[in-house]
Amino acid sequence: MSFKKCKGKLMKKNSEISPCGVVVELLVSSPGGFDNIDDILVEFQPKLRASDDYTFLLRELGNRGDWVNAMRCFEFAINLEKRRNEKGKLASSMISTLGRLGKADLAKNVFDVAVSEGYGNTVYAYSALISAYAKSGCCDEAIGVFRSMKDSGLKPNLVTYNALIDACGKGGANYKRASEIFNDMLENGVLPDRITYNSLLAVCSGAGLWEVARSLFDEMVHRRIDQDIYTYNTLLDAACNGGHIDVAFEIMATMAAKSVFPNEVTYSTMIRGCAKSGKMDRALNLFNEMKLAGIKLDRVSYNTLLAIYANLGRFNEAFAVGKEMESIGIKKDVVTYNSLLDGFGKQGMYDKVKELFVEMKRGNLCPNLLTYSALISGFCKGGLYKEATEAYTEFKRQGLKADVVFYSNLIDALCKKGLVESCALLLDEMMRDGIQPNVVTYNSIINAFGQTETVDYAETQIESSNSLTYTDGKMVVKEDDQIIEVFKQLACGKSGNVKQDQRTRKDFRCVLGIFRKMHEMKIKPNVVTFSAILNACSRCNSFEEASLLLEELRLFDNQVYGVAYGLLMGHNEHTWSQALSLFDEVKRMDSSTASAFYNALTDMLWHFGQKRGAQLVVLEGKRREVWENTWTQSCIDLHLMSSGAARAMVHAWLLNIRSTVFEGHELPRLLSILTGWGKHSKVVGDGALKRAIEALLVSIGAPFQVAKCNIGRFVSTGAVVTAWLRESGTLEVLVLQDDRTLPRTRFDLLPNLQPLPL
DNA sequence: ATAGGGTTAG
């Protein structure tokens, strides 16, 4: 009999346990694997005849993650089997088992041997290898296999195409490639099915192509291809990734009517979507909903929830989730610890970070790239360069290799400390290491300009003597490792010995060098790049410096430049209509990207005295709901705004309630201005925004006071504010003016103007 | 052959 038919159940036949049952029982009773699988195989060899039996065994071993014994079993069976196509079946099965376990290299070895021995040249073997590469995110390799398959005269089938499209979605999704494969498939008369579309949807989700995903979904309906839970979950993921959380909720609500019921994957996708767009209450509501619907939380759901709390710094709740998870028998894993390490690191609780790292290792969990990345960038943020060096050295010792995210994260951490020069060094190092920086890497550095945090260098120096001894005495430091060099220098406080203005000038040159590199490397800038440039402008002390940056903006994107420059010089109708179409584009981004752009643009305008222009931008942002519920008659919420945007907004709000007063209406009894706790300040709890607003209120004589119970809130009564608004001088201080104005005609020439003439 | 979790810029 064949194993295939008993599907892992113990079966008795003629009061004797079948071969299937025996081996399955052996598998079950040796969860740690076998030392003597060869003996068992020899013993059972007479009973295991068909290659189907061995295939079943391979799959069972694969399900247990035991690829070592699976390989032995495969070798054993392949030597026994004489028929070529049976050998071929075994090979395909082995390749797919290895592929599922992420062992693409081993799969390739098996494949190569099978081909050279003359039994591997089958569609199944090729498809299995493509799928193995897909799982490991090796799209190029998968396509290479596909080509050689065609070259050797084999015809790809539906499974081959589906696996190949799947490969395009992993490791930097590439929709262009996927659609080329899709077309190739159609041309070769292979009809796409549900899985083809599901895989295409996954590519869209990974590539951030929400509109395309939606039209593919419609196409599916049109072609009468059923949608299953994979389809919906992938579609929801695409919507969430595109920042369309409301649309995602709408789609989720339609699922039940199609008899596709949300499962734990649906919920964790949605929860992550909510969390990503800052809607924590909705995220937590979904967890309750999930429990009410009787859907059990699994490992991923728990880790998702825990990560949300850890990221918010709500550690008691994070630990409670961890406890609950362990109480139902799911042990904390590397993902759990990475979230915790990252959360504590972000809050500057480094003792806790160290403690957790020890605990993690005690639990026999193996730290990975992300673990070390969280540790190292966390320590850097706190100026703990000795610890950062230690963690980095250990990381190297484990044989782990840095990637672009690792470097970007580290560069960002150093940039936030104002160490722009060190970052430029690391940028060179990563390129020498064969890692290509991406737009995120560059944006971090641009954004760093002028953000020089005040670092106490004296203190750093004292500490450095210890760390140097430590570094020299105890560690094996590779001479040419730039990261260690940078940490060493930082620990010595070398970069802090230059004077502030000298350093700013150096930083400025570094940033200009970054732009040059971006052009050389053909890195496409994005909205964040534009926001970063505008923010850098706001930190320039002179118009001349800012004009150099704006020139870079012009080279990147003439439209954004036209708007920024036009508003800076005193806008007119032409600039404004350009601005409106730019705002239309920005509105398509997710909400935090959009608000960051408005914040940056307004800050820049305010900084250079174009206050009326700043206010126009802010009011347009309000109209388009860039910031959530900005104002009512009684309350204005500024906590998502930059200081320039917030100040422009306060003027607009006061003017608004002033007209209420002059129309003869009464103001609410209590008026509040919320500044939050300084979301835009670098130090938690340091209310840069609050201070800016306080200064503004004082300067215009607005009668507001800090609330007793909330230091982030200014309050006043309707009566007091009414009296002040009625004073003769009030209107004048409220109405904003631009320092520069341009004639309101002939402005179609504007975009062709040269950079700021000053 | 298909779905969700931990990392980067604002």
Side-chain angles (χ1 to χ4, degrees), chain A residues 262-277:
Chain A
N263 62 8
E264 67 282 3
V265 178
T266 320
Y267 276 97
S268 53
T269 304
M270 292 295 293
I271 287 161
R272 185 172 164 264
C274 289
K276 224 187 73 187
S277 58

Side-chain angles (χ1 to χ4, degrees), chain A residues 479 677 685 738:
Chain A
E479 285 303 313
W677 288 79
D738 279 349

Side-chain angles (χ1 to χ4, degrees), chain A residues 653-654 657-658 661-662 665-673 697 700-705 714-728 730 734:
Chain A
W653 180 65
L654 290 172
I657 58 175
R658 184 182 176 278
V661 168
F662 277 82
H665 302 294
E666 235 175 78
L667 290 181
R669 268 188 40 207
L670 187 73
L671 300 176
S672 334
I673 300 172
L697 294 172
I700 61 176
F704 283 84
Q705 262 108 46
F714 296 95
V715 288
S716 189
T717 63
V720 169
V721 173
T722 301
W724 174 68
L725 288 170
R726 285 187 180 284
E727 284 172 22
S728 58
T730 301
L734 286 184

Side-chain angles (χ1 to χ4, degrees), chain A residues 573-620:
Chain A
E573 290 83 354
H574 179 89
T575 311
W576 193 243
S577 72
Q578 259 199 326
L580 290 179
S581 68
L582 176 62
F583 294 153
D584 288 339
E585 274 180 55
V586 171
K587 191 60 211 183
R588 289 212 295 270
M589 320 281 162
D590 66 279
S591 65
S592 65
T593 303
S595 62
F597 181 78
Y598 278 83
N599 283 338
L601 181 59
T602 331
D603 261 3
M604 195 270 292
L605 295 172
W606 190 273
H607 180 71
F608 286 112
Q610 297 303 83
K611 300 186 174 173
R612 167 108 187 100
Q615 190 171 65
L616 270 174
V617 172
V618 156
L619 286 174
E620 189 58 28

